[in-house]
Amino acid sequence: MLSSFFPQWRARLSSVLTALLLSCAAHAETPAVALYYGHHIPLGELRTFDLVVVDPDHPAHQINASRSAPRIYAYASVTEVQPSRPYYRDIPDHWKLARNQDWQSDVVDQSVAAWPDFFASRVIAPLWERGYRGFFLDTLDSYRLAARFDEQAQQQGLVRVIETLHQRFPGIRLILNRGFDILPRVRGKVEMVAAESLYRRWNPTSRSYEEVPEQDRQWLLGQLRTVQQRDDLPALVIDYVAPHDRALARSTAQKILRDGFIPWVTDARLSTIGIGSIEPVPRRILVLYNGDDSPALNYANAHRFLQMPLNHMGYVTDYVDIRGDLPAQVTPDRYAGVVSWFSGHIPASRQATLSQWLRARLGDGMPLAVLGNWGLAPDGALSRSLGLASAPTEPRGPLQQARMAPMMGLEGPPPLPSQQTELVQLTPDMARQAQPLMELRDARGHGLLAGAITPWGGFLLDPNVLLEIPGTEDARWLVDPFAFLQQALRLPAIPIPDTTTENGRRLLLAHVDGDGFPSRAELPGSPLAAQVLLTEIFEKYRIPQTMSVIEAEVAPHGLHPSLSPEMEEIARKMFRLPHIEVGSHAYSHPFLWDTSVQHGLFKDNPEAAQSLAVPGYTMDLEREIVGSTRYINERLAPKDKPVKLFQWTGDTAPNARALELTYRAGLLNINGGDTSISRDNPSLTAIGSLGIRKNGFLQVYAPITNENIYTNLWTGPFYGFQRAIETFEMTDSPRRIKPVGIYYHSYSASKPAALKALKKVYDWALAQPLHPVHASEFTRKVQDFYDYAIARDGQGWRLRSSNGALRTVRLPDALGLPQPGTSQAVAGWRPGTEGQYVHLSDPSALLQTGGREIGTPYLYEANARLEEWTADEDGLRVQLRLRGHVPLEFALANTQTCQVRANQRNLAALRSGAQTRTAVQHFRLPDVAAQIQILCPAR
């Protein structure tokens, strides 16, 4: 706990900042504070902080939008004004006292009688109307830049400004930057005082970062101690360090903490995410690809194969097509590393730009992983940065394999030495530091490398990355992608937001695309497939499921008007079932969502139908998404259960405009990804990622592909969907990468073999200890994964959800075991093959870890949502609330001597287990929700 550094004023901080910290229960004594004045304010990455100061002239996503969000304060300069501010031109020239040449701003005379009202009306009032309630008042001492000034008059003017703000805006919260001399006169009107440059500062004259002279530091230390002791206020210290030097920023923040102050160490422009009392963990990986290598990003190797391992390790990918502009700001506050995957040389016009860009990243110490090939012939400057020999000697005689790292040969042997086409030599200095992945030697013993882990990252060159199987779309990893990416990018062990599991149980979801709704089943009486689906699946398997329809198939104005009354009534019966969620599968079922991307069938046959043939209709994205949703809501769905989910059709590759329309319509979306690993194709390359973002809009992929793939595009065998069980098993071990996702079409109910296979899949799933959820719940978890925020907090971790959906983190064994007694919103955990699945009871949590198993009760597993978990100080009296979709099953650890009650009645354990060193008791209830108490004897 940070308060252990300064116990003498812990109580004072708690009382002064109670209102400030209502938004964050964790660390009520010591707020984590950040300041960010850059454009495009990254509130997602800043979510782990309690208080964030922003420049209100730059766009922020939302202000204090949720309980887990930080409290947002607006920056406001009191004594200085820059010409860019909207009120600058209305300040009379005779109010201006001096000029700050370093920042090109004017200093305002605080003794002007009209200034407090002007500042309140023109600066603060517009921000108050926008929702800001806290303000960081900057430049309080700038009047001292003037050649002549009346100290008392200036200070009295500042006091009048603060008093005016409190009169005009009841409840306003203020942080002052300096203003030490006026603090006794504004007692009770300020809640924190900031000061800049205690250890490190920015010199605007030399434009350099430098150490603060000892004399200046001692003076400021004295002022800050006075703030704490005389004024009873917490002190925030803002220091400045070059943005790429995270080690210096970290050590500087630690010094400030040891002094007893709240730290924030950032760059001179406050445009990067710095380090404070907590350190946000960058979860983004920047991936470079060449758009010429594939029809679209969906089909690029970087997305098809690389993203899944990164997602599984907890990271989000940002893609950059090197044919366009390369981002200028790629700093370690946002990015954990850079990966490139090229299949050949990039356009010659881009090579010099890419070389310069890569050198800049390497110069900043950003880890770089190169797959495939370099994309260019490295020039002299880039070769020096990479440690490549500038004049490699030609190999003599046949090559022989000298060394191969354990991560090589994962799903197949690397090519023979004679088949190696991309080899490099390292400089002697780099060779001493590198760890070869694939080393070959010629007849003279000269070494050449096809891959290595290096001080700057790592590389692996073709043909040693993937083996593409001729005549198929299948491939094999020749390298373990998890090991390569972790070592090359130096990815640390972190708590990993997990979308496969909740409360220790693997998720189960089922969703149905409406295709085949009007098909006749090959059963007695030839009923509609939709009717068979209703009676044989939905009415018998009462777990959360999502059903969709295609408007043009079902509606009276569609393709089957004579069948429409019957089909619409079947749909209404489906949607009235309490466990069925409502989805849309578009209006005309587009086969090709982005007509600008010709691929596969559409590349070979541009005349191929792009949707169902609806007479007189030309495909329109809004009609497909918004129109189909409106039809279902108005004619089929219960009034209190509108469409939640849009299920992509056809090639499931919508463009950014289509994705944006779903978001604007308030819809979640799913489909795509094509995870189909099986014993016939036992490769990690057959497991898709979580989704894909286009222009900031996320498409969520289905966890497992549908029966169309297992039945050879519905040509048979029609019992093929039972092989989805193989996929479920192979995505659970040796790594749990996906939940169990039962995904199929209405036409699976039209053939007896397909229906039998469908029931076999459902029966298998219901025999497993799973956690049933709706597809919409899974979709929201994936959305949450992309925006989840993690920060190091001392020896623990701050965890912040963006929408409250994702409540499990996977804790690697290297980080130890959860310690619920010192954590917050941590209810328990269950061991997994890659660490512990940690159960969180709130969108905002503090996870402390240690090396020992605890002896107090905790939740081991449950098949329902954990809505509450509260424990007394010694952890022996616990109250929890579970709510799920099916009768409750849960297990508790360390409760063998305790009384367990649910809904005011005592419970008896079904069985006890020793799956871990801790005793586990299992319970079952007929209810889908329960309030549970655990009462243990004192020890």
Side-chain angles (χ1 to χ4, degrees):
M1 297 288 286
L2 299 178
S3 56
S4 63
F5 291 106
F6 35 96
Q8 68 272 18
W9 55 285
R10 175 178 179 180
R12 293 201 297 272
L13 258 179
S14 181
S15 62
V16 171
L17 297 177
T18 297
L20 170 67
L21 297 180
L22 285 177
S23 63
C24 182
H27 289 254
E29 302 90 349
T30 307
V33 178
L35 293 87
Y36 186 92
Y37 299 164
H39 292 270
H40 307 294
I41 298 167
L43 290 185
E45 284 93 339
L46 293 167
R47 190 178 297 111
T48 48
F49 290 90
D50 305 317
L51 188 159
V52 178
V53 180
V54 302
D55 186 330
D57 285 353
H58 298 162
H61 298 295
Q62 45 190 299
I63 299 172
N64 302 335
S66 69
R67 185 161 54 90
S68 62
R71 191 172 291 274
I72 307 299
Y73 279 40
Y75 171 91
S77 178
V78 180
T79 63
E80 291 187 38
V81 61
Q82 292 181 314
S84 60
R85 300 298 179 182
Y87 47 85
Y88 174 82
R89 64 182 60 187
D90 297 328
I91 297 176
D93 288 340
H94 66 272
W95 288 12
K96 297 171 184 176
L97 192 65
R99 180 78 172 165
N100 186 336
Q101 296 296 339
D102 290 333
W103 299 105
Q104 299 300 303
S105 57
D106 290 316
V107 178
V108 177
D109 185 352
Q110 298 300 295
S111 67
V112 173
W115 173 246
D117 180 70
F118 182 97
F119 186 79
S121 301
R122 298 299 307 279
V123 180
I124 300 301
L127 301 177
W128 189 270
E129 292 174 2
R130 287 168 53 186
Y132 291 99
R133 294 296 179 266
F135 299 87
F136 181 92
L137 302 186
D138 196 18
T139 65
L140 268 69
D141 298 347
S142 291
Y143 60 84
R144 290 175 177 153
L145 293 173
R148 291 182 297 178
F149 59 88
D150 184 331
E151 181 83 37
Q152 291 303 315
Q154 295 299 316
Q155 291 185 9
Q156 187 56 40
L158 289 169
V159 171
R160 287 190 296 111
V161 167
I162 294 171
E163 290 175 341
T164 301
L165 294 181
H166 275 273
Q167 292 166 4
R168 292 275 299 274
F169 308 104
I172 192 171
R173 296 185 293 270
L174 300 177
I175 299 174
L176 304 188
N177 189 2
R178 298 204 175 208
F180 302 125
D181 295 329
I182 69 168
L183 289 176
R185 286 179 274 175
V186 292
R187 186 175 298 276
K189 295 181 172 64
V190 176
E191 58 187 4
M192 187 183 297
V193 175
E196 300 172 79
S197 304
L198 181 61
Y199 287 99
R200 308 290 306 183
R201 69 185 181 186
W202 167 254
N203 187 326
T205 302
S206 63
R207 303 191 62 79
S208 62
Y209 295 93
E210 60 187 27
E211 187 175 1
V212 174
E214 182 63 24
Q215 181 178 352
D216 294 351
R217 177 164 40 253
Q218 290 301 323
W219 177 87
L220 184 55
L221 275 170
Q223 298 296 316
L224 295 171
R225 299 294 185 205
T226 299
V227 168
Q228 293 176 337
Q229 297 164 11
R230 180 197 67 189
D231 303 309
D232 204 23
L233 291 173
L236 167 67
V237 171
I238 306 160
D239 271 21
Y240 299 105
V241 168
H244 64 272
D245 198 343
R246 299 294 277 182
L248 180 57
R250 189 176 300 114
S251 63
T252 303
Q254 289 300 315
K255 289 180 181 178
I256 297 168
L257 270 174
R258 285 193 292 269
D259 289 332
F261 310 126
I262 302 167
W264 181 244
V265 184
T266 184
D267 69 294
R269 302 185 66 86
L270 290 93
S271 60
T272 56
I273 301 171
I275 297 175
S277 57
I278 63 174
E279 180 178 352
V281 174
R283 292 183 54 235
R284 296 174 182 238
I285 304 291
L286 189 72
V287 181
L288 303 177
Y289 74 103
N290 181 5
D292 288 333
D293 290 343
S294 59
L297 174 59
N298 299 64
Y299 313 103
N301 285 348
H303 176 66
R304 291 178 60 202
F305 305 128
L306 190 70
Q307 184 178 324
M308 182 279 289
L310 288 170
N311 286 167
H312 185 69
M313 292 189 287
Y315 293 89
V316 174
T317 50
D318 288 350
Y319 292 99
V320 174
D321 186 342
I322 51 84
R323 297 176 302 174
D325 294 335
L326 299 177
Q329 294 296 322
V330 183
T331 48
D333 62 318
R334 311 280 180 89
Y335 288 97
V338 174
V339 181
S340 70
W341 193 338
F342 302 128
S343 299
H345 279 196
I346 66 172
S349 61
R350 302 295 298 159
Q351 292 190 14
T353 300
L354 177 61
S355 175
Q356 183 179 11
W357 189 90
L358 289 173
R359 294 200 310 273
R361 305 289 76 76
L362 294 167
D364 288 344
M366 177 65 67
L368 171 65
V370 176
L371 286 167
N373 61 54
W374 306 103
L376 73 173
D379 55 30
L382 181 57
S383 292
R384 286 190 293 274
S385 296
L386 295 169
L388 303 181
S390 57
T393 57
E394 289 292 326
R396 179 178 298 177
L399 296 173
Q400 293 186 340
Q401 183 176 298
R403 272 189 289 182
M404 187 171 73
M407 71 173 71
M408 299 301 299
L410 179 70
E411 296 177 349
L416 297 173
S418 60
Q419 297 171 317
Q420 296 291 336
T421 58
E422 298 276 348
L423 296 170
V424 300
Q425 290 177 313
L426 301 182
T427 62
D429 182 61
M430 182 60 69
R432 284 191 292 271
Q433 301 177 71
Q435 302 171 35
L437 299 179
M438 176 73 66
E439 183 179 15
L440 297 97
R441 293 191 179 277
D442 66 6
R444 296 173 299 183
H446 289 176
L448 299 99
L449 294 177
I453 301 299
T454 67
W456 50 261
F459 66 95
L460 185 62
L461 305 178
D462 287 334
N464 302 286
V465 182
L466 282 178
L467 171 65
E468 296 186 2
I469 300 176
T472 73
E473 295 183 357
D474 298 340
R476 297 289 184 269
W477 275 110
L478 301 181
V479 62
D480 181 342
F482 298 99
F484 174 77
L485 291 167
Q486 190 278 322
Q487 293 184 35
L489 299 178
R490 302 192 290 274
L491 299 177
I494 61 171
I496 298 168
D498 194 285
T499 62
T500 71
T501 302
E502 184 163 353
N503 292 331
R505 285 198 173 193
R506 192 182 185 191
L507 299 176
L508 165 65
L509 60 144
H511 72 290
V512 186
D513 288 347
D515 310 50
F517 211 88
S519 300
R520 291 293 180 180
E522 298 172 4
L523 296 170
S526 299
L528 290 175
Q531 181 63 51
V532 177
L533 183 62
L534 172 63
T535 56
E536 292 297 315
I537 301 297
F538 290 166
E539 291 181 348
K540 292 183 177 179
Y541 296 96
R542 292 186 174 263
I543 60 172
Q545 304 188 59
T546 306
M547 180 64 203
S548 66
V549 297
I550 302 168
E551 180 184 346
E553 281 195 340
V554 175
H557 50 270
L559 300 174
H560 309 281
S562 63
L563 291 177
S564 177
E566 182 182 2
M567 289 192 291
E568 286 194 323
E569 185 54 32
I570 293 171
R572 292 186 191 103
K573 289 179 180 179
M574 289 176 169
F575 294 152
R576 282 197 294 266
L577 292 172
H579 58 286
I580 299 297
E581 183 176 67
V582 184
S584 171
H585 202 43
Y587 169 61
S588 70
H589 191 285
F591 304 138
L592 180 67
W593 277 94
D594 188 347
T595 55
S596 68
V597 179
Q598 300 295 315
H599 64 94
L601 167 68
F602 304 102
K603 183 178 181 181
D604 299 334
N605 180 15
E607 303 301 318
Q610 295 183 358
S611 67
L612 295 177
V614 179
Y617 172 69
T618 301
M619 183 180 155
D620 175 78
L621 291 178
E622 188 152 348
R623 180 67 183 87
E624 296 292 341
I625 297 168
V626 180
S628 66
T629 300
R630 183 182 302 115
Y631 158 74
I632 296 169
N633 287 338
E634 291 177 354
R635 292 186 61 92
L636 306 179
K639 296 300 181 185
D640 60 347
K641 196 162 70 170
V643 173
K644 274 193 172 181
L645 201 63
F646 190 84
Q647 298 167 217
W648 300 108
T649 64
D651 68 347
T652 63
N655 58 19
R657 172 62 179 157
L659 287 167
E660 182 179 3
L661 282 171
T662 65
Y663 280 81
R664 302 285 183 231
L667 298 171
L668 301 167
N669 74 88
I670 198 170
N671 282 349
D674 294 334
T675 292
S676 57
I677 186 173
S678 66
R679 294 188 180 92
D680 285 343
N681 185 24
S683 173
L684 290 170
T685 62
I687 304 178
S689 59
L690 288 176
I692 187 170
R693 278 194 299 200
K694 298 177 181 179
N695 287 358
F697 297 101
L698 175 65
Q699 175 187 351
V700 176
Y701 287 159
I704 309 296
T705 197
N706 57 56
E707 86 283 47
N708 205 35
I709 304 302
Y710 297 97
T711 59
N712 298 306
L713 305 183
W714 200 240
T715 61
F718 296 109
Y719 57 78
F721 190 47
Q722 67 186 22
R723 300 201 66 183
I725 296 172
E726 295 176 19
T727 307
F728 300 155
E729 293 172 338
M730 296 176 76
T731 52
D732 190 40
S733 178
R735 295 177 176 90
R736 181 177 295 176
I737 301 178
K738 297 288 183 179
V740 173
I742 303 175
Y743 169 32
Y744 58 98
H745 300 83
S746 299
Y747 53 67
S748 267
S750 68
K751 293 185 176 293
L755 182 62
K756 184 177 180 180
L758 192 57
K759 291 182 176 180
K760 184 174 182 179
V761 169
Y762 273 91
D763 289 339
W764 178 91
L766 294 182
Q768 313 304 311
L770 302 176
H771 182 140
V773 296
H774 279 300
S776 66
E777 295 175 83
F778 168 74
T779 299
R780 282 172 52 80
K781 290 179 190 297
V782 175
Q783 289 179 338
D784 206 355
F785 173 89
Y786 273 77
D787 292 324
Y788 205 87
I790 302 172
R792 292 180 178 88
D793 189 343
Q795 298 303 308
W797 305 86
R798 284 197 181 198
L799 309 172
R800 296 291 185 272
S801 162
S802 65
N803 63 22
L806 197 155
R807 295 290 183 86
T808 291
V809 293
R810 192 171 73 250
L811 190 67
D813 288 330
L815 296 180
L817 294 173
Q819 303 295 306
T822 54
S823 300
Q824 294 185 15
V826 174
W829 71 92
R830 178 174 179 169
T833 57
E834 294 182 277
Q836 322 303 320
Y837 291 104
V838 182
H839 325 322
L840 308 177
S841 62
D842 193 83
S844 176
L846 171 66
L847 172 61
Q848 298 283 7
T849 62
R852 61 182 181 84
E853 184 95 21
I854 66 166
T856 53
Y858 64 86
L859 181 66
Y860 183 78
E861 68 170 12
N863 68 344
R865 184 77 160 179
L866 181 62
E867 295 186 329
E868 177 191 357
W869 176 274
T870 56
D872 63 4
E873 189 173 350
D874 57 11
L876 298 178
R877 300 175 67 87
V878 179
Q879 180 162 285
L880 64 144
R881 185 168 62 248
L882 294 171
R883 183 179 301 275
H885 297 286
V886 297
L888 294 177
E889 297 175 358
F890 62 97
L892 302 171
N894 297 331
T895 55
Q896 59 271 28
T897 62
C898 307
Q899 181 185 73
V900 179
R901 295 172 56 81
N903 296 338
Q904 307 305 313
R905 63 181 186 271
N906 291 335
L907 291 185
L910 299 176
R911 68 182 192 280
S912 296
Q915 293 91 332
T916 67
R917 290 170 294 178
T918 304
V920 176
Q921 293 184 302
H922 296 259
F923 301 87
R924 185 176 298 138
L925 290 171
D927 313 292
V928 298
Q931 191 80 26
I932 300 165
Q933 294 84 36
I934 304 171
L935 307 173
C936 304
R939 298 176 182 177

